[in-house]
Amino acid sequence: MSLFGLGNRNQKTFRPKKSAPSGSKGAQLQRHIDATLGSGNLREAVRLPPGEDLNEWLAVNTVDFFNQVNILYGTLTEFCTASTCPTMTAGPKYEYRWADGVAIKKPIEVSAPKYVEYLMDWIEAQLDNESIFPQKLGAPFPPNFQDVVKTIFKRLFRVYAHIYHSHFQKIVSLKEEAHLNTCFKHFVLFTWEFRLIDKGELAPLYELVESILQ
């Protein structure tokens, strides 16, 4: 079983798994991620490999983390419903509303599963847009690339925050807490290494984040 394998029971992902940007560079960086993750040293695994382009590294990892959150949330779709989670919350103090700035300009209150559906559709559209995530080797990244990446990670964090606050007991009963914790640790270390999420956004899971970073 791989570090991010969930066994056969949970192979239904929330949507089809995305592959890394094509071209030898994306595949090469993906192999580097797999190899370093296999060593079990997550702090080492998140670092930019010597001589590599930062944007290429961010791009390949963004696809990877998108897939991880998809798989994790996919195990909870029967428990996270519009009736159990009528709003997208992370504990009593934090509620997230959806807006993408295009189709939905003013933030709207939606159920947690609807929020995640909107979010995954939005991220997938960014990943499939070659002017943002270029597929061809050597094609330039846009000037706002890192801003897009930061927004993706900020919003993926909200899915983790919802899972921990609303569904952790279910994760424990499914015996997936070790997997969830490993995925989240990897996510936190990566976002911290490249300063992708503002500290204030981490507030719903601040104690957990602090324990990971110590």
Side-chain angles (χ1 to χ4, degrees), residues 9-20:
R9 180 199 161 284
N10 295 317
Q11 284 314 310
K12 71 165 191 181
T13 54
F14 192 51
R15 63 196 51 225
K17 195 167 184 230
K18 294 209 72 75
S19 52

Side-chain angles (χ1 to χ4, degrees), residues 41-44 46-47 65 157 160-161 164 168 177-193 202 204-214:
N41 184 343
L42 292 174
R43 284 179 196 278
E44 194 57 44
V46 301
R47 290 197 184 111
F65 284 110
F157 169 81
Y160 275 116
Y164 272 107
F168 190 68
E177 73 268 29
H179 175 73
L180 171 67
N181 290 338
T182 300
C183 288
F184 185 62
K185 181 178 182 181
H186 183 203
F187 180 90
V188 167
L189 291 172
F190 187 82
T191 55
W192 191 256
E193 177 79 9
L202 300 171
L205 296 177
Y206 197 67
E207 285 177 16
L208 183 55
V209 170
E210 285 285 279
S211 71
I212 289 169
L213 294 174
Q214 276 166 8

Side-chain angles (χ1 to χ4, degrees), residues 4-52:
F4 296 112
L6 279 167
N8 293 332
R9 180 199 161 284
N10 295 317
Q11 284 314 310
K12 71 165 191 181
T13 54
F14 192 51
R15 63 196 51 225
K17 195 167 184 230
K18 294 209 72 75
S19 52
S22 58
S24 58
K25 174 59 70 184
Q28 183 189 329
L29 288 174
Q30 186 62 54
R31 282 196 297 274
H32 177 87
I33 292 171
D34 293 342
T36 49
L37 284 178
S39 73
N41 184 343
L42 292 174
R43 284 179 196 278
E44 194 57 44
V46 301
R47 290 197 184 111
L48 178 66
E52 295 298 348

Side-chain angles (χ1 to χ4, degrees), residues 79-191:
F79 313 109
C80 183
T81 66
S83 55
T84 61
C85 304
T87 53
M88 178 65 172
T89 58
K93 286 190 193 165
Y94 301 96
E95 180 191 327
Y96 301 117
R97 298 186 175 205
W98 178 257
D100 58 15
V102 184
I104 301 171
K105 294 190 170 148
K106 189 177 173 196
I108 56 171
E109 184 181 287
V110 290
S111 69
K114 192 69 190 167
Y115 185 98
V116 176
E117 183 186 332
Y118 276 137
L119 173 58
M120 296 308 176
D121 284 346
W122 177 80
I123 294 176
E124 201 153 27
Q126 310 311 302
L127 298 179
D128 289 342
N129 184 339
E130 290 205 29
S131 68
I132 302 173
F133 282 82
Q135 293 290 317
K136 293 186 180 63
L137 192 57
F141 287 86
N144 69 331
F145 176 71
Q146 291 185 20
D147 292 333
V148 174
V149 167
K150 285 177 181 177
T151 303
I152 290 173
F153 277 92
K154 176 179 77 175
R155 291 175 170 175
L156 284 176
F157 169 81
R158 295 171 178 180
V159 182
Y160 275 116
H162 178 72
I163 290 173
Y164 272 107
H165 277 282
S166 299
H167 302 294
F168 190 68
Q169 288 317 113
K170 181 51 68 178
I171 290 279
V172 170
S173 71
L174 293 171
K175 297 188 168 45
E176 286 171 10
E177 73 268 29
H179 175 73
L180 171 67
N181 290 338
T182 300
C183 288
F184 185 62
K185 181 178 182 181
H186 183 203
F187 180 90
V188 167
L189 291 172
F190 187 82
T191 55

